[in-house]
C-alpha cells in the first residue's frame, strides 16, 4: 500500500485539528511580530532623538529595524530548511519554535532598544512571543514526525506506529485499518536534500519561478500591512506630520483591516479545491494590486470609511494569495527535497520582506508606492500563472508531469525520462 493511501485511511478529525493548532499558533507569532514592527518603527520615529537627522536618513534607519528581522528570518530558513529533510520535520519545528520564543521574550528585557519605550510596549513584545511558545508546547505534545519522511528514510515501522496513533485519535480502530502484517511501500529517495538539487534541470525552472512569486508575495503582503499602518497613523496623517508629536494610531481602523485575514483564510480554504491553486493565486494578486493601488493612490481623496473598506479588501486578497502559495509550494516539491525547496523559497520571500520597509518609508509619496506595488502584483500574478496546477495531483508530481508550461530550454537540456 502506498503512503498516500495509508494516510487517507485515518480520515480527518482531532489529529489534524491538533496539527493545525500547533502550526497556526506559529504563524500567529509571525503575523504579530510584523504588526508590532509596523507600529514600533512609527513610535520610535518620535521617541528617539533623531531630530537633527534628515527625514530620509531617519526613515532609512527605521526601515532597517524591520529589515534586519527579515534578514535573520532569511538566514534561519536557509539553515533550518535542509535540516528538515535530513533529521526530520519535528526536531526542526521544535528548535525553531524554542529559538523564536526564547529570544522574542528576551527582547523585552534588552537595554537600549526597548528601554526607550514605555512599559506597555515591553508587554506587547512579550505577548508577541507567546503564540510561538504555545506552538512549541503543542508541537512537542501533538505533532509527530512526518510518516512520509520516515518512509523515505526506510523507517516503515515508525511511520506505521504514527498512523495507528493518528487513527486512534480520530476515533478509528487502528488494528482494523492497519492490521498485523500491513506494509507500506517504501519510497526510494531520488534527490538529495541540498540546495544544488533545486537548480538541476528537473527543478530549475520551477524553483526560479517560485522565487519570483515568493518575493512578490512578501513584498505585497508585508508591504500592504506597513502601508495600512502608515495610512492610519493619525499623528502623521500618512505623510506630513510633525516628528515631535506622539504617535497616535487609528487602532479601530487597523483592527478592522487586520481582521480581514480571517476571512481571507476562510475564502482560501473554500477556493483552492474548487477553482484550483493557480486561478486562486493569480486572481488574488490581480485584485490585491487593484485594491492596494486604489488605497495608496487616492489616500488623500478617500475618506476614512472608504480607506477602511479598501484596506480590508486588500488584506483579504493578500491573505488568500499567501495561504495558497504555501499550499502550492509544498505540493510541487517531492518529499525528499520538500523542506529544502520550501525553505529556499521562504528565504527568498524574506529578502522581499527585507526590501518592503524601504518601499513604504515615510519620505516616499503614496502615489509612487501605489504604482510600485501595482507593478509587483502584476509581475507576481504573471509568474504564478506559469506554475503547474497541483489540485488533484499526487504530491511532488505536478512539476514533472506538466508539459504544457515546460521551459523550451529545459526540453532541449533534459530527456523525457529525466523529467519524469
Amino acid at each position: 500500500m502506498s503512503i498516500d493511501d495509508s494516510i487517507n485511511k485515518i480520515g480527518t478529525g482531532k489529529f489534524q485539528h491538533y496539527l493545525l493548532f500547533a502550526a497556526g499558533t506559529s504563524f500567529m507569532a509571525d503575523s504579530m511580530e510584523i504588526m508590532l514592527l509596523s507600529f514600533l518603527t512609527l513610535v520610535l520615529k518620535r521617541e528617539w532623538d533623531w531630530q537633527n537627522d534628515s527625514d530620509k536618513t531617519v526613515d532609512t534607519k527605521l526601515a532597517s529595524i524591520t529589515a534586519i528581522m527579515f534578514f535573520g528570518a532569511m538566514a534561519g530558513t536557509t539553515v533550518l530548511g535542509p535540516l528538515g529533510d535530513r533529521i526530520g520535520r519535528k526536531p526542526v519545528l521544535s528548535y525553531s519554535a524554542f529559538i523564536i520564543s526564547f529570544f522574542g521574550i528576551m527582547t523585552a528585557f534588552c537595554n537600549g532598544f526597548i528601554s526607550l519605550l514605555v512599559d506597555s510596549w515591553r508587554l506587547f513584545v512579550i505577548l508577541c512571543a507567546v503564540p510561538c511558545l504555545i506552538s512549541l508546547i503543542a508541537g512537542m505534545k501533538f505533532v509527530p514526525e512526518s510518516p512520509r519522511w520516515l518512509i523515505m528514510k526506510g523507517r516503515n515501522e515508525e511511520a506505521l506506529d504514527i498512523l495507528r496513533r493518528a487513527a486512534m485519535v480520530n476515533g478509528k480502530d487502528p488494528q482494523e485499518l492497519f492490521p498485523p502484517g500491513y506494509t507500506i511501500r517504501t519510497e526510494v529517495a531520488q534527490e538529495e536534500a541540498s540546495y544544488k538539487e533545486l537548480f538541476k534541470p528537473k527543478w530549475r525552472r520551477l524553483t526560479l519561478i517560485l522565487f519570483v512569486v515568493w518575493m512578490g508575495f512578501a513584498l505585497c503582503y508585508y508591504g500592504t500591512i506597513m502601508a495600512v499602518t502608515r495610512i492610519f497613523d493619525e499623528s502623521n496623517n500618512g505623510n506630513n506630520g510633525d516628528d515631535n508629536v506622539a504617535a497616535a494610531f487609528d487602532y479601530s481602523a487597523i483592527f478592522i483591516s487586520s481582521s480581514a485575514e480571517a476571512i481571507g483564510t476562510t475564502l482560501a480554504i473554500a477556493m483552492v479545491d474548487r477553482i484550483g491553486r493557480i486561478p486562486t493565486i493569480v486572481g488574488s494578486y490581480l485584485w490585491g494590486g487593484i485594491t492596494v493601488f486604489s488605497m495608496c493612490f487616492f489616500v488623500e481623496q478617500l475618506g476614512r470609511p472608504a480607506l477602511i473598506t479598501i484596506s480590508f479588501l486588500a488584506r483579504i486578497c493578500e491573505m488568500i494569495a499567501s495561504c495558497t502559495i504555501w499550499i502550492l509550494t509544498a505540493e510541487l516539491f517531492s518529499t525528499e527535497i520538500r523542506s529544502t525547496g520550501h525553505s529556499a523559497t521562504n528565504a527568498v520571500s524574506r529578502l522581499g520582506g527585507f526590501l518592503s520597509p524601504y518601499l513604504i518609508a515615510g519620505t516616499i509619496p503614496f502615489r509612487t508606492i501605489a504604482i510600485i506595488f501595482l507593478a509587483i502584483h502584476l509581475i507576481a500574478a504573471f509568474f504564478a500563472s506559469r506554475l503547474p496546477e497541483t489540485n488533484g495531483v499526487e504530491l511532488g508530481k505536478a512539476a514533472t508531469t506538466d508539459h504544457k508550461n515546460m521551459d523550451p530550454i529545459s526540453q532541449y537540456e533534459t530527456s523525457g525520462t529525466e523529467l519524469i
Side-chain angles (χ1 to χ4, degrees), residues 49-275:
D49 187 18
W50 284 343
Q51 287 87 349
N52 295 327
D53 294 341
S54 66
D55 287 342
K56 187 174 182 180
T57 301
V58 171
D59 286 330
T60 300
K61 290 179 178 179
L62 293 172
S64 298
I65 295 173
T66 302
I68 198 67
M69 186 277 295
F70 285 109
F71 181 79
M74 180 173 63
T77 54
T78 302
V79 173
L80 294 174
L83 278 179
D85 286 326
R86 290 192 178 98
I87 67 174
R89 278 49 163 164
K90 182 170 183 175
V92 171
L93 173 63
S94 299
Y95 298 154
S96 304
F98 173 77
I99 292 170
I100 296 171
S101 302
F102 178 78
F103 287 102
I105 293 173
M106 288 300 102
T107 300
F109 299 100
C110 291
N111 292 324
F113 181 84
I114 299 297
S115 63
L116 296 174
L117 304 178
V118 294
D119 288 340
S120 60
W121 284 103
R122 290 179 181 270
L123 178 61
F124 192 17
V125 170
I126 294 174
L127 289 176
C128 287
V130 169
C132 213
L133 181 61
I134 296 173
S135 176
L136 170 62
I137 298 171
M140 294 177 65
K141 183 175 178 59
F142 299 120
V143 179
E145 185 53 81
S146 164
R148 193 182 300 275
W149 181 83
L150 289 171
I151 290 294
M152 187 192 70
K153 296 296 183 179
R155 296 157 61 178
N156 295 34
E157 284 303 316
E158 293 178 57
L160 196 53
D161 287 341
I162 289 173
L163 291 175
R164 284 174 175 149
R165 291 199 300 270
M168 188 180 300
V169 172
N170 283 350
K172 297 190 175 184
D173 183 357
Q175 296 304 318
E176 179 181 343
L177 296 179
F178 308 106
Y182 185 94
T183 58
I184 302 176
R185 187 168 62 248
T186 302
E187 295 184 357
V188 179
Q190 298 179 349
E191 289 98 9
E192 59 178 306
S194 66
Y195 288 116
K196 67 179 181 180
E197 192 70 36
L198 299 176
F199 295 97
K200 290 184 178 180
K202 179 179 179 180
W203 298 108
R204 184 180 58 241
R205 176 182 181 273
L206 173 68
T207 299
L208 294 177
I209 293 177
L210 282 172
F211 280 176
V212 177
V213 176
W214 273 79
M215 179 171 282
F217 143 67
L219 286 166
C220 297
Y221 179 78
Y222 297 119
T224 299
I225 293 175
M226 296 173 194
V228 169
T229 306
R230 181 181 159 191
I231 286 171
F232 292 112
D233 174 19
E234 294 183 326
S235 62
N236 202 32
N237 194 25
N239 244 337
N240 304 312
D242 182 358
D243 286 347
N244 296 317
V245 177
F249 301 102
D250 187 346
Y251 287 106
S252 60
I254 295 173
F255 174 80
I256 292 172
S257 68
S258 299
S259 66
E261 294 208 354
I263 296 177
T265 303
T266 304
L267 289 174
I269 294 171
M271 294 167 64
V272 289
D273 288 329
R274 286 186 172 87
I275 68 174

Side-chain angles (χ1 to χ4, degrees), residues 266-337:
T266 304
L267 289 174
I269 294 171
M271 294 167 64
V272 289
D273 288 329
R274 286 186 172 87
I275 68 174
R277 280 65 162 154
I278 303 303
T280 300
I281 295 173
V282 173
S284 298
Y285 277 135
L286 292 176
W287 282 107
I290 292 171
T291 52
V292 173
F293 175 84
S294 302
M295 177 181 69
C296 294
F297 197 84
F298 301 107
V299 63
E300 295 181 0
Q301 289 75 34
L302 296 172
R304 181 175 180 271
L307 284 173
I308 292 175
T309 302
I310 296 175
S311 66
F312 184 84
L313 294 174
R315 293 289 295 270
I316 287 178
C317 294
E318 303 301 340
M319 195 61 190
I320 293 174
S322 170
C323 292
T324 313
I325 193 63
W326 275 84
I327 295 171
L328 178 72
T329 304
E331 293 175 337
L332 284 171
F333 288 113
S334 60
T335 302
E336 52 268 30
I337 61 166

